[in-house]
Amino acid sequence: MPKVHHEHCDKCVSAHCQVLVQTSRSCMVTKCPKNCGAVLHSCKREEHVLLCPNETVPCLNAFYGCPLTMQRQKLAKHLEVCPASVVCCSQEWNRWPVSDTNVIFYRSVSEKLQSDSDGSLDVALALRDQALLFQSIKMKCIFPEMMADELQISASGELSCSSDFSEFKENGCAEELEEKKEEERHDLAKSEEVANIQNYTSWEKIFRKEKEGCNQTVKNLNKETRGKKEQEASKDHEGLRDVADRNAVASRGLHGITGLAPWQDGVLDRLCREANMAEYNMYLVHNGSMLINFGQLAACTPREKDFVYGNLEPIEVKTVRSYKVPTSYRAKRVHLENPACKAKTRQQSVDTTDLGFSVEDLPKSDEIGSALLCSMEKELKGHLISESTSTDGFYIDIGTQTHSFPSAPFRADASLADLVANKHPGLHVSVETESVTRRHNRRSSAFSYECGQFFRRDEFPSHVRNAHCDIQAQLNGWFQQRCPLAYLGCTHTQMRFHPAGQQATITFNKDASAMALQPLVHSSLRESEKNPGGSAMPQLDILSSLPLEILQNIAAHLDSFTLSQLSLVSHLMRDVCGSLLQQRGMVFLHWTKKTYSHGGTSWKCHKKVWRFSSLFSSVDRWNFTDVRSMSDHLKSCSFYQRDERREPVALPCLREVTERCREVKHRR
């Protein structure tokens, strides 16, 4: 049955409307069935459902995985604790490689890491950042000459086609290479990922217009010169100038070698045959400086009249290093050396054989030290060590650096982490951190780190305050104190703070890559029961025997990090922690790439992943830990060696004072 439309209902907003329904001018006035207090005509009930505060609706983040439904008036308050409202921590900091002035301390720390696990918090955080740094450093970007040959040999023993042109030519694949390159050019022109590719069309239009303009100028000059041919023959000086200009334009457009331009080879010989003596002398007067620059005439002319370019061809310049010198370029005399004053040199090859050692006996370079040194050079100065650079677009400074690594050649996708995977790398980055400033270029940075951990929106303030502001920013020297003789190799540390009201310490969990609050357990609770024979027995799992309601009550008082670790203990604990996911956990969408039969691809949400964050219990106040003073440690520190002097030492001025005292006594 079609809905009846009333013009009165569209404009009526009165809760006490007196228009009679029998007149068919309006609908019946009713109240909201959800008891929100709204009074409206019955025909507006469907529209009111979209605005009613008591209407049950899904969460605004239902698309991102939140399964909860609630009244519309509770949506704003729910967003503060919504499991799908996830925030990624973007706190950043810098950490530089170890300097040469503090090598002893880091060598001691590396030796301690090999013997046993170092419990220092700053060392644990530095090792985490070092692992991320080693994964980000690609050996191909730093040492391209040390990469393995990309030539692949098939199982049949025949060489397969690769990107090298010489290999294609030797195997009869030159035609396939040309077709492939042509397709790559078209794909490159259509690609949007190449830098400044949006200007490709503009460049082509500019160069095309310049080329057409040059051709049209040549045609116009040719027409004008035909009409004035008789006048040019009667006028020697003017005719010679017009002939030179015409030939110069023709040579620029056609790139010929028969013109009379000063940069053409053999121009003076042709001018002697085609012109008389007066025209020849006038040509030398007008074009003498250019003839000298292009090596056609040996004479002395002012430097400011030296001509540099001949045929100007359009060159696409993206960067200074991609610029190529035009083929018509001739260097100015200011850049040329006097051959008479130039010292005699000879070509001679120099290599490691001059040292008297074989290649096998030469010392191998350290991959970690060399890679970090080259990365730091690029980070601070913007270029690699011994990198070839262009000074002014015409002159290139070529630098070479020879390396010999034991694990070379490297794979194409090898990183520094792959090279040190089978050995203990030690600590190669500083334990001190620096905050990222505005002058720091984050995009090209190799030594900048980001927290990158995900938290619920209500957990994020506690993480920033405790993890970054309280601990990480005050870690070195205040939150954690090291021995003053650390520069000599002492690795003693002590934590100076603990949460107020509980005995706990801050530790770093390597598996979760996050800091955790570990309570101090009494030694009596750690002792295991022993049978009469004296052998140790595993302690019984008392928690698993408790009722489910008690376990859920205990789990409700734990922090998110403890819940994530407790869920890995057993299936029962996993079910107990799983019952708190909607109240304490987070939900993520797991995306997978789907390929269709026609070849197209798209990303689809495969499933929803629930998990707990790495947030430990919020700490509102810190207290000093009851530990002994660092001066007490110095009394027994093995690196604190005092040099006591007990023999009397004569002061330099003691003899003079003694003589003066004797003189005073003698006068008296």
Side-chain angles (χ1 to χ4, degrees):
M1 182 177 179
K3 182 179 178 180
V4 181
H5 178 72
H6 302 94
E7 295 182 359
H8 172 77
C9 297
D10 295 339
K11 302 178 181 180
C12 181
V13 294
S14 176
H16 307 282
C17 182
Q18 300 296 331
V19 178
L20 298 179
V21 181
Q22 290 80 3
T23 58
S24 300
R25 294 177 56 189
S26 66
C27 299
M28 183 181 298
V29 177
T30 59
K31 294 183 178 181
C32 175
K34 299 293 183 179
N35 297 324
C36 69
V39 179
L40 66 161
H41 290 278
S42 59
C43 61
K44 296 182 180 180
R45 184 175 299 175
E46 296 181 1
E47 297 180 1
H48 177 71
V49 172
L50 303 177
L51 301 175
C52 181
N54 294 339
E55 186 69 26
T56 303
V57 293
C59 176
L60 296 178
N61 294 324
F63 176 77
Y64 299 102
C66 183
L68 301 180
T69 57
M70 64 204 73
Q71 293 182 351
R72 183 176 282 111
Q73 60 183 354
K74 298 181 180 180
L75 287 178
K77 189 176 182 180
H78 164 72
L79 289 178
E80 299 178 359
V81 295
C82 178
S85 182
V86 180
V87 180
C88 179
C89 182
S90 60
Q91 180 70 25
E92 297 180 355
W93 61 89
N94 292 337
R95 197 184 293 273
W96 300 103
V98 177
S99 60
D100 297 336
T101 59
N102 200 9
V103 180
I104 301 178
F105 166 71
Y106 291 95
R107 187 183 296 115
S108 302
V109 172
S110 301
E111 294 175 356
K112 189 175 181 180
L113 290 174
Q114 295 179 5
S115 59
D116 56 352
S117 59
D118 194 336
S120 302
L121 184 59
D122 55 352
V123 175
L125 295 176
L127 290 175
R128 178 197 62 180
D129 296 342
Q130 178 178 278
L132 297 176
L133 176 62
F134 286 0
Q135 294 176 3
S136 62
I137 295 179
K138 302 298 180 182
M139 306 305 294
K140 185 176 182 180
C141 301
I142 302 179
F143 306 109
E145 70 280 358
M146 292 290 178
M147 306 309 296
D149 191 3
E150 297 182 358
L151 179 64
Q152 300 177 355
I153 302 178
S154 59
S156 60
E158 298 179 356
L159 295 176
S160 60
C161 296
S162 65
S163 59
D164 192 358
F165 179 75
S166 60
E167 297 172 5
F168 273 94
K169 189 174 182 180
E170 294 174 0
N171 295 277
C173 301
E175 296 181 358
E176 298 179 3
L177 176 66
E178 294 297 333
E179 294 178 359
K180 185 177 180 181
K181 285 188 175 182
E182 188 66 23
E183 294 178 358
E184 290 178 355
R185 293 192 191 100
H186 291 292
D187 296 340
L188 183 63
K190 298 178 181 179
S191 176
E192 297 180 356
E193 299 179 356
V194 183
N196 298 330
I197 197 63
Q198 64 274 8
N199 299 331
Y200 178 80
T201 307
S202 302
W203 292 333
E204 288 295 326
K205 290 181 180 180
I206 294 174
F207 295 150
R208 191 181 300 110
K209 290 179 180 180
E210 291 181 355
K211 184 177 180 180
E212 293 177 356
C214 293
N215 296 335
Q216 187 65 30
T217 303
V218 173
K219 293 180 181 179
N220 296 337
L221 290 176
N222 291 335
K223 291 180 181 180
E224 294 178 1
T225 52
R226 292 193 191 98
K228 300 179 180 179
K229 188 174 182 180
E230 297 179 355
Q231 299 178 2
E232 293 174 358
S234 60
K235 297 180 180 180
D236 295 337
H237 302 291
E238 297 178 0
L240 179 60
R241 187 181 297 106
D242 293 338
V243 170
D245 295 340
R246 183 172 64 256
N247 290 331
V249 176
S251 62
R252 294 179 184 177
L254 302 176
H255 298 279
I257 59 174
T258 59
L260 297 178
W263 50 85
Q264 297 292 339
D265 295 336
V267 59
L268 296 180
D269 296 337
R270 291 192 299 273
L271 192 62
C272 290
R273 295 191 301 267
E274 299 176 3
N276 52 28
M277 186 58 65
E279 294 177 350
Y280 182 83
N281 294 333
M282 189 61 64
Y283 185 87
L284 294 180
V285 172
H286 289 284
N287 304 296
S289 60
M290 289 190 291
L291 292 172
I292 293 175
N293 279 281
F294 290 103
Q296 307 291 342
L297 184 65
C300 181
T301 56
R303 293 185 178 181
E304 59 271 7
K305 295 184 179 180
D306 288 352
F307 192 77
V308 178
Y309 289 101
N311 301 332
L312 295 180
E313 59 272 11
I315 300 176
E316 179 182 348
V317 180
K318 290 185 178 180
T319 61
V320 177
R321 299 182 183 180
S322 64
Y323 176 77
K324 296 181 179 180
V325 180
T327 56
S328 60
Y329 172 73
R330 299 294 186 274
K332 286 187 177 183
R333 289 187 299 175
V334 294
H335 293 159
L336 298 178
E337 297 180 358
N338 188 1
C341 302
K342 186 177 180 181
K344 294 183 179 181
T345 59
R346 63 177 181 175
Q347 298 291 338
Q348 182 177 0
S349 300
V350 180
D351 55 10
T352 55
T353 57
D354 300 337
L355 301 176
F357 296 94
S358 60
V359 180
E360 292 77 10
D361 297 336
L362 293 176
K364 299 294 183 180
S365 302
D366 183 20
E367 294 96 340
I368 300 177
S370 301
L372 292 179
L373 183 62
C374 293
S375 299
M376 186 170 58
E377 184 78 7
K378 185 177 181 180
E379 176 76 11
L380 296 179
K381 298 184 179 180
H383 59 80
L384 296 176
I385 297 178
S386 301
E387 186 181 25
S388 300
T389 57
S390 178
T391 56
D392 59 353
F394 302 110
Y395 298 95
I396 299 177
D397 296 333
I398 300 177
T400 58
Q401 178 70 33
T402 304
H403 298 277
S404 179
F405 298 116
S407 56
F410 308 127
R411 300 194 316 270
D413 57 344
S415 62
L416 187 57
D418 299 335
L419 303 182
V420 299
N422 299 328
K423 58 182 179 180
H424 195 281
L427 185 60
H428 296 272
V429 296
S430 177
V431 295
E432 291 85 7
T433 60
E434 298 178 1
S435 59
V436 178
T437 61
R438 294 182 179 180
R439 298 179 60 184
H440 184 70
N441 189 1
R442 175 65 178 86
R443 178 172 296 180
S444 62
S445 174
F447 301 101
S448 180
Y449 303 91
E450 185 176 353
C451 179
Q453 296 182 1
F454 292 91
F455 301 93
R456 288 163 42 123
R457 190 170 296 275
D458 57 334
E459 297 176 344
F460 182 70
S462 176
H463 164 74
V464 174
R465 183 180 68 255
N466 294 145
H468 296 301
C469 298
D470 296 343
I471 301 177
Q472 188 175 5
Q474 313 293 336
L475 182 61
N476 299 309
W478 180 244
F479 200 92
Q480 177 181 277
Q481 189 177 13
R482 284 194 172 273
C483 177
L485 302 179
Y487 69 96
L488 297 178
C490 183
T491 58
H492 175 74
T493 59
Q494 61 183 18
M495 302 295 293
R496 305 183 65 219
F497 293 95
H498 70 275
Q502 56 178 325
Q503 295 295 328
T505 181
I506 299 295
T507 60
F508 180 79
N509 188 280
K510 186 177 180 180
D511 298 332
S513 185
M515 287 181 286
L517 190 63
Q518 182 179 358
L520 299 178
V521 182
H522 197 269
S523 59
S524 60
L525 299 177
R526 297 181 178 180
E527 296 179 356
S528 59
E529 298 180 359
K530 296 184 178 181
N531 55 9
S535 60
M537 295 179 57
Q539 192 174 5
L540 298 177
D541 187 4
I542 304 177
L543 291 178
S544 299
S545 60
L546 296 176
L548 181 61
E549 293 78 5
I550 298 179
L551 293 177
Q552 290 179 348
N553 190 13
I554 295 175
H557 293 81
L558 300 178
D559 53 37
S560 299
F561 178 79
T562 308
L563 288 175
S564 63
Q565 301 299 312
L566 182 62
S567 62
L568 304 176
V569 174
S570 62
H571 293 283
L572 176 61
M573 296 303 172
R574 185 176 182 86
D575 296 337
V576 172
C577 297
S579 62
L580 301 173
L581 279 175
Q582 293 187 3
Q583 293 81 15
R584 305 287 301 278
M586 303 180 298
V587 59
F588 297 87
L589 298 181
H590 181 68
W591 298 86
T592 57
K593 191 175 183 180
K594 183 178 180 181
T595 305
Y596 299 96
S597 58
H598 55 78
T601 58
S602 64
W603 289 91
K604 299 292 183 181
C605 180
H606 179 62
K607 60 180 179 179
K608 299 175 182 178
V609 181
W610 288 83
R611 70 178 185 183
F612 294 99
S613 65
S614 58
L615 180 74
F616 55 86
S617 299
S618 179
V619 180
D620 298 332
R621 189 166 55 90
W622 300 87
N623 289 343
F624 281 97
T625 305
D626 187 12
V627 294
R628 63 173 186 170
S629 176
M630 189 60 68
S631 59
D632 297 334
H633 162 72
L634 290 175
K635 297 178 181 179
S636 60
C637 182
S638 59
F639 295 89
Y640 185 38
Q641 298 178 0
R642 294 179 297 178
D643 189 8
E644 298 182 0
R645 298 289 183 178
R646 299 185 179 275
E647 296 81 6
V649 178
L651 298 177
C653 60
L654 184 60
R655 181 176 301 176
E656 297 178 0
V657 174
T658 305
E659 293 178 355
R660 290 179 182 178
C661 293
R662 290 178 180 177
E663 292 179 358
V664 172
K665 292 181 179 180
H666 181 70
R667 291 175 182 177
R668 291 180 181 177

